[in-house]
Amino acid sequence: MESSEAIRPEKMGPLVLKETWNTPGSLVSWERSENVYICRGERGGIAFLFLGDDMFRMKVFRGSVPDLTTSPAVLAECCIPHLFPEEEDDERLIFTTGAIRLIIDKATFLIRVENHQGITVMQQNLTSWNPRGASHAEYDMQPDSHFYGLGEKASFLDKRGEKYTNWNTDVFAPHLPEIEALYETIPLLIHMHGDLAYGLFLDNTGRSDFDMRSHGVAFTIGCDTGEYDIYFINGPEMKDVVKRYTTLTGRIALPPKWAIGYHQSRYSYMNQQEVLQLARTFREKGIPCDVIYLDIHYMDEYRVFTFDPVHFPEPEKMIAELRELGVRIIPIVDPGVKKDPRYEVYQQGVLNKHFCRRLEGDIFFGEVWPGTSAFPDFSDSRAAEWWGDLHKFYTDLGIQGIWNDMNEPAVFNESKTKDLDVMHFNNGRPVTHEEYHNLYGMMMSKATYEGLAEQLGGERPFVLTRAGYAGIQRYAAVWTGDNRSFWEHMAMAMPMVLNMGLSGLAFAGPDIGGFAHHTSAQLLVRWTQMGVFFPYCRNHSSIGTLRQEPWSFGEEVERILREFIGLRYRLLPQLYNLFREAETTGLPVIRPLVLEYPRDPYVANLCDEFLFGDNMLIAPVYRPDTEHRSVYLPKGRWLDYWDGEAFEGGVHILAAAPLHVMPMYVKAGSFIAEGPLKQHALEENGDAITFQLYGAETSEDFRAAFSLYEDDGHSFAYRKGEYSVLDVAAEGESDGLTFRWSYQTGAFRPRRETLRFELRYSAFQPEGIAGMKRRTLEQLDAGQTGWCLGESGGFLVQVEDRPEGGTLKVRAKDGNEGNSR
Ligand code: GLC
């Protein structure tokens, strides 16, 4: 006898059902409800929320009322809808803000944005969804369209011709240009065409895709689950988009200074002695270093919140000794909690229902480093707080930074992650892992950051993460995961980190030297030269690979690395200033040239060189056995950092780059703030500052200005006003140059008595300063005021650093010829 099982549909062969895609149809009616414009079509609708003149949200809905909750990426304070005047005729419904007009075509529901000059900025064509819950929309693409953003993606800077999936994935290999999904999801696409740029941010935490390849004159943005919830972010400049996107999803919190120093890591430093010896070696060799990482071997059989009792028997003592040397520890913390009934963290998690479960109540277990493990449900504030509190284990030992890894979450199974039907209880609004997946890593880092902040009593915490979603910048720096010691991966780190910067992730960087595979002397040199200019600067390598600490390849390599790591430390005031700028404006620390020179036709996809801030151009060598490279200099006058050779921009030049040199250029008429060389960022050797002015001229239209932000570098006191901003300006005159400086606010008093100004590579020969004595460099170093010719020929002035500021005039030699170095 057979049961009905005999006629199960799948026994009849595969069922091919044609997928039907629905559109909202024509616009049938619209209404305004609590400042939300709800536009209904024949089969669904779109709710429009204007978040100011330059930003609006479009939420597609299928039922009768839209659900307007957002993901945690979006800051609640940005979501207050504004009203703008509307007009309506038979064909169109139009909303006009101070910057744009949003035009809805009634017959087709097509959505167009134009600026007040009547130029189309964005056109959204079909918006559609299928019965299985996937949605997508199609947008116009122009012959001159270029695309940026999307966070951490492989391939070049301009994403035109590429297609990507957002599904946070642990990709040990390969990080090839064709790989569509890596560890992070930042669903922000910046579209630049003509003189215009705008952004589209799809706030969807499930799987999404961005296709700038397959549709000729259009690109598409889609998602597999959840609702289609997209934000239009106006430019007109790309910088405006970045600033607005980071108002919506938040900006980095100013890191403690030690977190922007040089970091050393390895999978793994195996025991306490090795770690201490490592720190001592840095100090003996005079190579600056702020942090050593403890990878998974520090734990007791990979149980998070433990130390291995044999290899790390006295963590407290080790950490205190390291602190004496000015070195901090950052331990790794993965989300997987070992299934072990004798392990307290596991017990607490089970008993208090903190782990991810299926709807039926059974805990989801997956294999990771500790073996069978359970995973906290960070969507539940109770579990998140529990996790945050657990970090007291580390903070009590003096630890202030945590490294979150494997938080895609990675699971050693076929799907590489949790089963899609595992639930996230989400404070009473349960969702499946399928819908929540891309948020997991960010919520882990949020819990970690908040726990640390709570326990550190006013000190700034630092969190590093591998996975994240839009908004992760508020909680953590991001490193780009398991790259390899390939020259290609060094080169790819540039566009990757540059696009991360355009996507709000101002604090990012790759494993310097490459993680997997074996590095080489040259690769380590070239990668470190580049890496010291990246916002996040860590050398990390995998188990079983050649060692890549700075002294691993002999004396010459060590000398070059000491020099470049030292350069990062001398430039810390400049770097810290850029981090402060990222905190206040959202602009990235390192920038693709297209961000600063969007009208330059050569830079749309230029990504083998980049800008450090807006005035230093860094051109790394990223091929072996290469001692020259071509460098593109954009508009303006550029000075070779090393020898002052001047170039008029808009040209490609051939730069000489023997192994100890990385080509670097400084924009003439700009300042760099240099501090003393430190062995670690908070070393107590004062806050001396030299304002180096590059390429000064005596012409009357020569102007340069700079503002230096300073604070204690480690606490949150700056948020209560304890910081200072020192404005510095220089003006050319026919017979010389005047410097002026004054403190905008001086609530924080840096540890110094004097300030220095230095003319580097100026176009005139300075003769002296009225009312100031000529001194020797030694006298200036001993604290006397006056001027002198510096070691490399530059002209130096030292003045008293008074709260009221001051002014001084450098006289030019008659004839104005010569070149001061
Ligand atoms: C992952 C991380 C890597 C780490 C390793 C061991 O592969 O990406 O950085 O060293 O796990 O924890």
Side-chain angles (χ1 to χ4, degrees), residues 23 61 98 180 197 241 284 358 376 396 426 505-507 589 634 637 650 682 697 707 729 755 798 805 810 816 819:
T23 64
F61 63 98
E180 291 190 358
V241 179
E284 279 156 25
R358 292 185 202 275
D396 280 352
N426 206 19
L505 312 180
F507 198 1
V589 172
R637 201 158 160 264
L682 293 170
E697 291 171 28
S707 294
L755 286 178
Q798 187 152 287
V810 181
N816 270 345
N819 189 9

Side-chain angles (χ1 to χ4, degrees), residues 172 267 295-296 332 334 369 403 405-406 466 479 481-482 511 515 538 540:
F172 176 67
Y267 168 33
D295 208 324
I296 53 174
I332 196 167
D334 294 349
W369 309 120
W403 170 19
D405 186 23
M406 305 289 277
R466 193 170 71 174
W479 103 101
D482 296 344
D511 284 342
F515 174 69
R538 178 180 74 159
H540 180 47

Side-chain angles (χ1 to χ4, degrees), residues 697-699 731-738 764 809-812:
E697 291 171 28
T698 48
S699 85
E731 280 174 29
E733 284 153 48
S734 57
D735 57 348
L737 183 96
T738 297
F764 68 93
K809 174 149 179 195
V810 181
R811 276 193 324 263

Side-chain angles (χ1 to χ4, degrees), residues 130-202:
N130 73 14
R132 294 181 204 287
S135 326
H136 74 228
E138 194 186 276
Y139 302 84
D140 273 3
M141 178 160 131
Q142 314 301 330
D144 63 350
S145 286
H146 301 285
F147 297 95
Y148 308 96
L150 290 174
E152 180 190 15
K153 297 291 179 204
S155 197
F156 292 100
L157 183 72
D158 182 355
K159 299 307 186 192
R160 188 179 178 127
E162 305 288 352
K163 177 172 176 287
Y164 294 105
T165 301
N166 290 311
W167 184 253
N168 293 356
T169 311
D170 168 22
V171 186
F172 176 67
H175 292 197
L176 288 174
E178 66 182 358
I179 198 95
E180 291 190 358
L182 283 167
Y183 311 87
E184 297 269 330
T185 291
I186 315 293
L188 166 75
L189 185 70
I190 302 176
H191 180 191
M192 189 176 92
H193 59 92
D195 287 348
L196 298 172
Y198 70 91
L200 289 170
F201 166 54
L202 177 73

